[in-house]
Amino acid sequence: MAISSPRPDRDVLRGVLRHRAFRALTVGRSLTFFGNSMAPVVLAFAVLDLGGSAVDVGLVVGARSVSSVVLLVFGGLLADRLPRALVLQGAAASAALVQSGVGLAVLADRAPIAALLVLSMVQGAVAAVSIPASAALLPRTVPPDELRPGNALSRMGLNTGMIAGTSLGGMLAAVAGPGWGMVLDGAAFLGAAAAYRLTGRVLAGRAAVPSSAAAAEPATVPDPVPVRAPVPVPDPVPAVGSTGSAERARPWQDMRQGWREFASRTWVWVVVLQFFVVNAVSAGGIQVLGPTVADATFGRAAWGFVLATQMAGALVGGLLVARSRSRHALRIGVAVVALDALPLVALAESAGLALLLVAMFVNGIALEQFSVAWDLSLQENVPQDTLARVYSYDALGSTLALPLGEMAAGPLAERFGVRPTLLCGVGLVLLVTAGALGSSQVRGLTAGGTAPDEGAPEHAAV
């Protein structure tokens, strides 16, 4: 079990918040997730207000997912080849410009559905760049021994942004119209761009401080060095060609190098495979079959509260994991993923609303334990110059699973019934979790330590 720090939660989190670059990055990420969560809601209502059909809504909203999937690996490559703060700033500024422009066009009744389609694709591209770049930049904003509380606090901001974006998007679309929601979304992305710009300026200023001056300024926190990388890696890193001169490698070579980093670590691809199945099951069970069960039992109004309870559990989970000092964070995080089965069991057995709320709350806590452990493990064990690409392959595996689960759940439920489909999902979650724990690398990876050798090279040659 996790060993708690003697310091109170507030002291742990306050210690992380003293780093200016971390504060700016967390604000930027939270605003980005706020905007990305609000966007699909207001887009859907904007299409309907323009006279579009359900097919049009699916086309517009689905374009965002397609754009994100197609560009995820490229987003990781871009974040490893260019300064990550600059990449994030450009992506957020582009989203702010397009979002605000289309929002104003909607307010003026001059926005065709084609414009909403383009906006949706831009939002998908922003998500594809932001996810790997922001996660890979976080280790440069805090010392290595504060990575765990830093990840926990950052994810608390992301969860808050998602909750606020989803709820406020629906409220604005209903009260003021989707156009105003788009304008507010654009303002959020503009704020994110400003926060990313500040992050880059702080990190650049820190790097410019001479070592003697840094020693004379104990309040200045040096760039943390990833545990697995013996030499600090600048941002960005030029590739070295066969001639020995520094030259930029071809994009496909960089992508292959990122894949080698991803595939050479058994614990990485094993956990990604685990979550490919878990995410597919959860997307189908919670997002598709959940509303069906709610309609037949406790009603639609309570279903929104059920989903919010999961996010509330994630916030509490963030506070708990921020104090954890467990050396086997990944092992614990992978194991508690089995608790994803609780909401599925509650839905399958048509449990009362109170039991379902408890199941979702516990599930939220468990997911946060895993999420922080996963970020910590990647940031400590993958070299900084390829970290964003590894994150992009991880996100690609998770993103591909969502539409598969959503599209399969309905036909399976019609063929075999809702209850058997949900219980089959429970079995799959438990099976893949046990399989992931069967890997000695997953069980043996330690926070602040090294990954056990299973005969595969720990990282590819650069």
Side-chain angles (χ1 to χ4, degrees), residues 277 281-282 341 344 419-431:
V277 176
V281 170
S282 296
L344 300 175
R419 183 175 181 273
T421 301
L422 288 169
L423 292 179
C424 181
V426 170
L428 285 174
V429 169
L430 298 179
L431 181 63

Side-chain angles (χ1 to χ4, degrees), residues 350-368:
S350 298
L353 179 60
L355 286 177
L356 182 57
L357 290 173
V358 171
M360 291 292 277
F361 185 80
V362 172
N363 177 230
I365 294 176
L367 284 179
E368 204 63 13

Side-chain angles (χ1 to χ4, degrees), residues 72-84 87 129 133 235-236 388-389:
L72 260 174
V73 176
F74 175 75
L77 171 64
L78 195 65
D80 278 338
R81 291 170 66 94
L82 298 174
R84 290 165 185 160
V87 170
V129 171
D235 184 12
R389 275 168 282 173

Side-chain angles (χ1 to χ4, degrees), residues 82-462:
L82 298 174
R84 290 165 185 160
L86 182 62
V87 170
L88 290 167
Q89 181 184 340
S94 300
L97 181 63
V98 177
Q99 186 87 40
S100 300
V102 176
L104 292 175
V106 169
L107 290 175
D109 292 326
R110 294 180 177 273
I113 291 181
L116 302 182
L117 184 65
V118 171
L119 172 59
S120 184
M121 296 176 66
V122 170
Q123 290 167 344
V126 170
V129 171
S130 299
I131 292 173
S134 61
L137 183 60
L138 191 146
R140 298 193 65 227
T141 64
V142 294
D145 61 345
E146 293 184 358
L147 264 180
R148 193 192 308 252
N151 277 294
L153 186 58
S154 180
R155 286 195 54 82
M156 289 168 65
L158 304 190
N159 288 326
T160 301
M162 287 189 289
I163 294 172
T166 302
S167 57
L168 189 58
M171 184 175 65
L172 279 175
V175 175
W180 287 111
M182 291 182 181
V183 172
L184 177 61
D185 217 14
F189 280 114
L190 187 62
Y196 292 140
R197 183 172 185 270
L198 177 59
T199 304
R201 290 179 61 185
V202 172
L203 292 176
R206 182 189 303 169
V209 176
S211 57
S212 58
E217 295 286 347
T220 300
V221 181
D223 277 347
V225 180
V227 172
R228 302 307 304 277
V231 180
V233 179
D235 184 12
V237 181
V240 178
S242 58
T243 61
S245 60
E247 59 182 16
R248 185 68 67 187
R250 294 179 179 177
W252 287 111
Q253 293 175 339
D254 279 355
M255 290 171 66
R256 286 197 299 269
Q257 181 189 4
W259 174 255
R260 287 196 299 269
E261 293 287 351
F262 175 87
S264 66
R265 293 167 172 79
T266 302
W267 60 272
V268 174
W269 59 259
V270 163
V271 174
V272 171
L273 283 178
Q274 176 198 14
F275 260 80
F276 182 88
V277 176
V278 170
N279 284 345
V281 170
S282 296
I286 302 298
Q287 302 299 328
V288 177
L289 300 183
T292 303
V293 175
D295 256 353
T297 53
F298 47 79
R300 298 181 179 184
W303 181 244
F305 189 52
V306 168
L307 296 178
T309 302
Q310 186 184 44
M311 289 294 98
L315 292 176
V316 173
L319 289 173
L320 294 176
V321 76
R323 300 183 67 237
S324 171
R325 292 295 181 268
S326 169
R327 282 177 50 80
H328 294 282
L330 185 63
R331 180 199 301 175
I332 295 172
V334 167
V336 298
V337 171
L339 295 176
D340 255 34
L342 289 180
L344 300 175
V345 172
L347 288 171
E349 301 302 329
S350 298
L353 179 60
L355 286 177
L356 182 57
L357 290 173
V358 171
M360 291 292 277
F361 185 80
V362 172
N363 177 230
I365 294 176
L367 284 179
E368 204 63 13
Q369 306 304 303
F370 167 79
S371 297
V372 173
W374 181 241
D375 283 339
L376 180 68
S377 299
L378 289 177
Q379 292 163 4
E380 285 189 340
N381 293 279
V382 176
Q384 267 287 320
D385 60 331
T386 56
L387 182 56
R389 275 168 282 173
V390 173
Y391 261 118
S392 69
Y393 285 116
D394 163 37
L396 181 63
S398 301
T399 305
L400 284 173
L402 299 179
L404 292 177
E406 291 166 348
M407 290 186 294
L412 287 174
E414 289 184 359
R415 175 68 176 84
F416 301 104
V418 172
R419 183 175 181 273
T421 301
L422 288 169
L423 292 179
C424 181
V426 170
L428 285 174
V429 169
L430 298 179
L431 181 63
V432 297
T433 300
L437 289 172
S439 166
S440 60
Q441 282 203 7
V442 172
R443 297 194 310 274
L445 190 75
T446 58
T450 59
D453 187 8
E454 285 188 357
E458 278 305 317
H459 36 82
V462 178

